Amino acid sequence: MKIIRLAAIAGAVLALGLATADAQAQMRKVKVATEGAYAPWNFVNSQGKLEGFELDLGAELCKRAKLDCEFVAQDWDGIMPSLLAKKYDAIMAGMNITPKRMETINFTTAYAAGPHGLLILKSSALAKLPAGEYNLTKDLAEAEKAIAAITPQLKGKIIGVQGSTTNLAWAEKYFKGVAEIREYKTTEQHDLDLAAGRIDAAVVAHSAAQATMETATGKDMTMAPPSFSGGMLGLGVAVGIRKEDNDLKNAFDAAVKAAIADGTIKTLSIKWFKVDMTPKS
Amino acid sequence: MQAKSFLELMQWGPQGWLDEMMFATGLTLAVAIVGFLFGLLFGTLAAIAKLSGSRLAKRLADAYTTVFRGVPDLLVIYLFYFGGSAVVTAIGQFFGAQGFIGLPGFLIGTLAIGIVSGAYQSEVIRGAYLAVPPGEVEAARAFGMSGRALLWRIIGPQVLRYGLPGMGNIWQLVLKESALVAVVGLSVYLYEVRLGDLVLIYETRFSDLLRQAHVAAGSTRQPFVFYITAVAFYLVLTTASTWCFRRAETWATRGMRRV
Amino acid sequence: MDFTFLGESFLRLIGGVPLTLQLAFSSIALGLCLAILLALMMQSWFRPLGWLADGFVFVFRGTPLLVQIFLIYYGLGQFRPALDEMGIWWFFRSPYYCALLALTLNTAAYGAEIVRGGLQSVPAGQIEAARAFGMSGLTLYRRIVAPIALRQALPAYGNEVILMIKATSLVSTITLMEVTGLAHKLISETFRSFEVFFVAGAIYLAINFAVTRLIELAEHRIAPDLAQANRPAEVH
């Protein structure tokens, strides 16, 4: 079927091109990169299509900012270098604002924020930890006390985490030397290894873990009760943009603020995450 | 969510992954063919350099062979993937071009494979050239052949004849090496075109075979099914190409006296 | 060039060398044993054994090592309960053992062809002569067949060793941080692909150089006459 469509494409592109050339003349073309392996933020479905919260939100933001956007998939480890190399103009890939990343690129206002924690098997002793929400920005001392309570439980265990993430930085800061830390290219891979029992815990965002727990693989998984946010775990998920590209930053900033104000982000968030991930200012 | 059966996962169409896996096999083949041709090009150039009288050219070609046969292919792919576009953009800007000059993933992957396989290829071509009996070249010269005619009618066909088994080995190497591009992800995109209600084409991500298995394994969380399918598809590719090379060898040696 | 950065990179990457060497040499040693077994199976009078060996070689030479690694690591990880029951899950739980298994099976498939070539190169006359002397069975193998086959197979096996050292780079895809894995991490942290490639490449070339020299030395010891003829490197 796709082959037939391929044959038809040449003519169609021509016709479309003529019809829409005028309308698009004023719209800036923007390429947006996403990972495509971080459900439900962004992932590839069985039709090979990109899908997820950020795809929906991206379309919404671009409509508001009057941008002609196109999403492309890019592996996580190359997502910042390729932005700098101008392969695309923006990143929407569940990427958190951090001071370290701010040295290299710029971020818009955050469009989502949520806690992070340890994804574990239900049978794990960590499941019995006292619950609590800790913010590393607001009350670091309190948060570190909670982390200290987890540390002895992780002694000699294996923690999986995706490379080049805030989760990895956090795990390395608090659990290095206590537990073995293994780096994975994608979160999907450490989910598989957690299910298989190769690792004892994975440091993840609650939002992504939710999607894992709904699959057959994740049915025996749960989040350890204490959750953490802010500080080195990131100041919210935002659109990443090159430093010199201020026009685009302003356009996205305005669009994000508008989408937060009129509840669009809340609606999309509940659709994909089942909870409201709108950042609290 | 219930785990799906093998047949459910391997359906043709939007529900299953068989169509994606088949297209991915096609892309793997395309990567291998283009990578092999790049290798042939680089290999020939290096072989010429090695056979030329120039000491400097020989040294450079030897260094090229040593480095790219000694360094892991994955490392070369990383170099091209992370550094490739930056270099091209820098070169472009040097000549006055503006902005990002896209090196598409396909080009990056095939160039990396071409550079690595060219290092092996140069040895095969050099060996094949040296195997051409000098008497034949002398005889051709005596007949008044020179330059291009000598190359096209005497040396070329014989280099191909003597080099074909070695090239067959390199083809197998390239076919398997093409799997490495999966690590950095090389995708070809086709986008959806809509005319009113009529959808002409899906936005489809064509990935190479292993990458597709990877994506499907991640999406369905059923890695075994997809990796074993990838194994089967690779075996089809290698078996079919072994057969093709055997035919080609028979063809290339058709005029040879057998002892 | 930024020499401070090169120095720092070198110190970080050198930390991966023990794992690289350990994986390469253990898989080559184990793979050689398996390769000899496979080669003997191929020559066995009991044909099904030969078919089994041929099938093994066909599958492992016909597919990319990376696919084999993923199949063994992620693919078999899916069957944890069954592997648990068999009591072998501890083996598949570890990425190191999975990598070792994949590398060993892969090199055994290529090695089997090399060993078979070596065995076939033993002149029939030599075996007949030994038989005439009353040698048989193990003695014949130990004193006549093995030494001649080894001499023939060593150069090709030297190539296989280099290829295996390169092949260990693939285990970085299943969380093992050997030299290439560390290089990848360093590139994604610093975005300085050229310097890192330069340092990592130099480490691999140094290892290969040392290994090549050792093999040449061995060749010279066991077959001074053959070592003279400098065979061009083979490819597979």
Side-chain angles (χ1 to χ4, degrees):
Chain A
M1 285 308 278
K2 279 172 192 162
I3 302 293
I4 299 165
R5 294 196 185 98
L6 262 178
I9 190 172
V13 165
L14 242 152
L16 266 186
L18 292 174
T20 53
D22 288 336
Q24 291 183 348
Q26 298 90 353
M27 295 228 285
R28 178 176 166 188
K29 278 195 188 298
V30 173
K31 274 194 180 173
V32 185
T34 194
E35 188 192 0
Y38 193 53
W41 294 81
N42 55 75
F43 57 96
V44 180
N45 63 19
S46 75
Q47 294 160 47
K49 270 188 178 180
L50 287 168
E51 204 182 359
F53 170 71
E54 278 164 327
L55 277 293
D56 283 2
L57 177 64
E60 192 65 41
L61 295 181
C62 291
K63 204 166 74 190
R64 284 162 203 262
K66 299 214 165 37
L67 298 168
D68 177 16
C69 290
E70 174 189 37
F71 265 86
V72 295
Q74 165 71 45
D75 274 10
W76 179 253
D77 56 12
I79 212 158
M80 277 176 47
S82 298
L83 176 72
L84 296 178
K86 300 187 183 161
K87 193 169 169 185
Y88 36 76
D89 311 291
I91 299 171
M92 287 182 77
M95 187 183 254
N96 262 284
I97 307 170
T98 67
K100 181 111 205 300
R101 287 182 183 142
M102 296 275 277
E103 288 168 17
T104 325
I105 62 172
N106 222 340
F107 286 98
T108 61
T109 314
Y111 55 73
H116 302 237
L118 294 167
L119 181 63
I120 49 172
L121 294 177
K122 281 175 184 160
S123 53
S124 164
L126 290 164
K128 294 187 193 73
L129 284 167
E133 284 173 32
Y134 303 95
N135 191 306
L136 281 81
T137 315
K138 286 181 191 134
D139 196 349
L140 187 61
E142 195 65 26
E144 287 192 332
K145 214 191 283 174
I147 294 169
I150 302 176
T151 313
Q153 306 259 26
L154 285 172
K155 208 166 166 56
K157 297 273 165 67
I158 304 167
I159 303 175
V161 59
Q162 187 182 19
S164 316
T165 58
T166 55
N167 291 333
L168 175 65
W170 185 74
E172 282 189 332
K173 173 153 188 211
Y174 292 107
F175 305 128
K176 201 171 191 173
V178 178
E180 183 191 333
I181 297 168
R182 281 194 200 148
E183 283 177 45
Y184 290 81
K185 256 184 93 84
T186 65
T187 57
E188 287 165 352
Q189 291 176 344
H190 66 46
D191 293 347
L192 287 172
D193 270 5
L194 181 64
R198 281 202 180 103
I199 54 174
D200 303 292
V203 183
V204 294
H206 277 245
S207 52
Q210 202 55 47
T212 308
M213 288 188 274
E214 281 164 21
T215 64
T217 323
K219 63 181 191 300
D220 296 324
M221 295 179 192
T222 186
M223 286 301 291
S227 68
F228 303 88
S229 56
M232 68 185 302
L233 280 169
L235 309 167
V237 175
V239 187
I241 288 163
R242 275 186 303 277
K243 280 200 164 165
E244 66 272 19
D245 207 346
N246 270 323
D247 289 349
L248 194 60
K249 179 177 154 26
N250 294 337
F252 268 121
D253 261 339
V256 170
K257 277 175 193 148
I260 291 175
D262 69 5
T264 306
I265 289 193
K266 189 176 174 191
T267 316
L268 288 178
S269 173
I270 286 167
K271 172 183 169 195
W272 288 102
F273 301 116
K274 313 241 162 29
V275 290
D276 184 11
M277 301 262 293
T278 311
K280 297 170 199 82
S281 48
Chain B
M1 204 159 87
Q2 198 56 41
K4 286 187 179 174
S5 73
F6 181 83
L7 285 177
E8 275 179 289
L9 289 168
M10 279 300 155
Q11 285 179 62
W12 186 275
Q15 300 306 315
W17 293 84
L18 183 62
D19 47 343
E20 278 82 6
M21 293 294 278
M22 295 289 273
F23 280 119
T25 311
L27 186 67
T28 284
L29 198 59
V31 169
I33 290 172
V34 178
F36 183 77
L37 292 177
F38 272 130
L40 212 53
L41 178 69
F42 298 134
T44 310
L45 292 176
I48 291 172
K50 283 179 188 176
L51 293 164
S52 76
S54 159
R55 281 269 284 284
L56 179 72
K58 189 179 174 325
R59 284 249 175 93
L60 282 175
D62 281 342
Y64 161 66
T65 324
T66 315
V67 169
F68 287 98
R69 287 204 314 187
V71 165
D73 314 335
L74 188 58
L75 205 56
V76 179
I77 296 217
Y78 283 148
L79 173 73
F80 274 70
Y81 173 64
F82 288 105
S85 290
V87 171
V88 175
T89 305
I91 294 174
Q93 276 165 356
F94 181 78
F95 288 109
Q98 296 228 322
F100 178 75
I101 303 174
L103 252 194
F106 186 81
L107 195 59
I108 290 189
T110 49
L111 266 178
I113 291 171
I115 290 272
V116 173
S117 65
Y120 290 99
Q121 200 74 264
S122 73
E123 285 296 296
V124 170
I125 294 169
R126 194 182 69 103
Y129 177 83
L130 293 176
V132 177
E136 300 222 0
V137 178
E138 281 160 26
R141 285 235 165 84
F143 269 96
M145 269 191 205
S146 69
R148 196 176 295 175
L150 186 68
L151 202 64
W152 271 114
R153 302 181 61 174
I154 309 296
I155 300 175
Q158 299 205 65
V159 167
L160 195 65
R161 174 187 295 169
Y162 292 119
L164 213 50
M167 287 176 191
N169 282 343
I170 293 177
W171 164 254
Q172 298 281 348
L173 187 85
V174 164
L175 197 55
K176 283 175 267 171
E177 201 173 55
S178 72
L180 293 190
V181 299
V183 175
V184 291
L186 158 162
S187 302
V188 175
Y189 299 93
L190 285 172
Y191 294 97
E192 183 174 285
V193 173
R194 286 173 186 273
L195 280 178
D197 289 336
L198 183 68
V199 179
L200 286 176
I201 185 163
Y202 290 120
E203 171 208 291
T204 304
R205 241 162 80 103
F206 285 97
S207 305
D208 78 281
L209 186 46
L210 179 55
R211 176 65 164 202
Q212 188 62 60
H214 223 55
V215 170
S219 178
T220 62
R221 325 245 167 179
Q222 296 249 55
F224 186 79
V225 171
F226 292 99
Y227 291 131
I228 202 83
T229 309
V231 163
F233 283 4
Y234 269 110
L235 280 178
V236 170
L237 286 181
T238 44
T239 312
S241 48
T242 308
W243 184 81
C244 288
F245 264 91
R246 214 168 277 155
R247 286 293 297 266
E249 267 174 54
T250 322
W251 174 79
T253 54
R254 66 198 181 286
M256 258 166 115
R257 198 150 35 99
R258 274 167 228 285
V259 270
Chain C
M1 243 186 195
D2 179 354
F3 285 101
T4 337
F5 180 73
L6 289 185
E8 280 167 18
S9 307
F10 180 76
L11 287 180
R12 266 185 73 174
L13 296 185
I14 203 86
V17 171
L19 184 58
T20 295
L21 292 181
Q22 207 183 344
L23 274 171
F25 290 113
S26 337
S27 60
I28 287 161
L30 293 169
L32 179 60
C33 300
L34 189 54
I36 293 171
L37 188 71
L38 286 167
L40 291 176
M41 281 166 74
M42 285 171 180
Q43 299 208 318
S44 155
W45 55 267
F46 185 57
R47 282 315 295 155
L49 273 184
W51 296 332
L52 205 66
D54 285 342
F56 177 90
V57 171
F58 171 70
V59 171
F60 279 88
R61 284 178 36 138
T63 52
L65 173 58
L66 191 58
V67 182
Q68 295 160 18
I69 291 179
F70 284 152
L71 185 65
I72 290 176
Y73 187 74
Y74 288 114
L76 293 184
Q78 206 182 315
F79 302 113
R80 187 207 163 156
L83 295 170
D84 234 351
E85 234 162 73
M86 285 186 259
I88 49 172
W89 172 246
W90 61 270
F91 184 88
F92 290 98
R93 181 171 193 243
S94 143
Y96 180 83
Y97 288 136
C98 287
L100 190 61
L101 179 66
L103 290 170
T104 301
L105 295 180
N106 188 266
T107 182
Y110 288 99
E113 289 289 306
I114 300 172
V115 174
R116 194 176 59 113
L119 288 176
Q120 280 174 347
S121 76
V122 181
Q126 300 255 10
I127 297 177
E128 283 162 9
R131 286 234 167 87
F133 271 95
M135 270 189 211
S136 69
L138 226 58
T139 325
L140 177 75
Y141 259 94
R142 190 166 58 84
R143 307 201 36 188
I144 309 294
V145 177
I148 298 176
L150 184 66
R151 279 165 42 146
Q152 283 296 334
L154 199 59
Y157 227 96
N159 260 323
E160 180 61 24
V161 173
I162 301 289
L163 285 170
M164 282 315 284
I165 290 171
K166 289 169 57 175
T168 54
S169 64
L170 300 184
V171 307
S172 58
T173 55
I174 53 168
T175 76
L176 292 173
M177 288 305 216
E178 42 62 71
V179 178
T180 301
L182 290 173
H184 174 252
K185 186 172 157 99
L186 200 55
I187 293 174
S188 56
E189 275 171 21
T190 60
F191 311 147
R192 293 166 83 163
S193 42
F194 288 95
E195 287 100 325
V196 176
F197 176 80
F198 182 80
V199 176
I203 291 175
Y204 278 107
L205 289 180
I207 296 175
N208 290 344
F209 181 76
V211 169
T212 314
R213 272 293 136 89
L214 280 175
I215 291 167
E216 273 172 13
L217 221 66
E219 266 177 61
H220 215 82
R221 280 296 278 279
I222 60 169
D225 50 325
L226 287 178
Q228 299 297 326
N230 206 353
R231 258 171 291 264
E234 283 167 45
V235 175
H236 61 225

